[in-house]
Amino acid sequence: MATIRNHVTLIGNIASDKRITEFENGSKVVRFDLTTEKVYRANNGKIKNSNEWHKVFAWGNIAGFIEKFGEKGKKVAIHGRLISRAYFNPDGVKRTVTEIEIKHILGL
C-alpha cells in the first residue's frame, strides 16, 4: 500500500473575508486567503519581512467552524494537503491553481 505524503502545516493570519458556497444538498465550502510571514536577511545584512499568500478551503464541519469563528486578521494554524486544479475563467482561458484543503484548524 502506498503512503501519501502530501501534508502542509502553516501558521498565519486569515487575510481575506470568507467566501462561503452552500450547495443544494446542504454541504458548504468556505474559502479564504491566508498569509504567512517570511523573515530573511537581505544582501545588505538587514532583516526583512514579507508575506506569502496562500489560497485555502475547507468542507463540512470545518467549513462550519470557520464560517462561525473565522474572521479576517485572526491568527490560525492549519494542517491539510495541497490540491491543484484547472478551470476556465470567464474569458474561456484555462487557468490552474494550487490550494490547501484544510483538514484541521486551530485559532491562536
Side-chain angles (χ1 to χ4, degrees), residues 18 23 38 43 51 56 65 67 79-80 82 84-85 96 98 101:
K18 310 173 281 258
F23 299 97
K38 177 182 177 182
N43 289 339
N51 285 326
V56 300
F65 177 83
E67 179 181 17
H79 180 77
L82 291 173
S84 294
R85 62 183 175 85
T96 58
T98 299
E101 181 180 12

Side-chain angles (χ1 to χ4, degrees), residues 10 12-15 32-36 52-54 56 76 78:
L10 297 172
N13 293 306
I14 297 175
F32 61 89
D33 296 321
L34 181 82
T35 58
T36 55
E52 300 277 336
W53 289 75
H54 313 276
V56 300
V76 294
I78 65 166

Side-chain angles (χ1 to χ4, degrees), residues 3-19:
T3 302
I4 298 173
R5 291 192 169 98
N6 181 355
H7 299 278
V8 176
T9 301
L10 297 172
I11 297 174
N13 293 306
I14 297 175
S16 66
D17 292 326
K18 310 173 281 258
R19 298 172 302 283

Side-chain angles (χ1 to χ4, degrees), residues 2 17 26 28-29 32 39 41 44 55 57 63 69 72 74 91 96 98 108:
D17 292 326
K28 292 181 183 180
V29 63
F32 61 89
V39 180
R41 185 175 304 274
N44 64 7
K55 294 185 176 301
F57 70 95
F69 298 108
K72 190 174 178 180
K74 179 141 181 83
D91 297 325
T96 58
T98 299
L108 302 175

Side-chain angles (χ1 to χ4, degrees), residues 72-104:
K72 190 174 178 180
K74 179 141 181 83
K75 189 171 196 170
V76 294
I78 65 166
H79 180 77
R81 65 187 185 123
L82 291 173
I83 301 288
S84 294
R85 62 183 175 85
Y87 67 95
F88 291 94
N89 73 9
D91 297 325
V93 177
K94 186 176 181 180
R95 301 283 188 204
T96 58
V97 64
T98 299
E99 301 172 299
I100 300 164
E101 181 180 12
I102 300 171
K103 296 296 188 181
H104 304 283

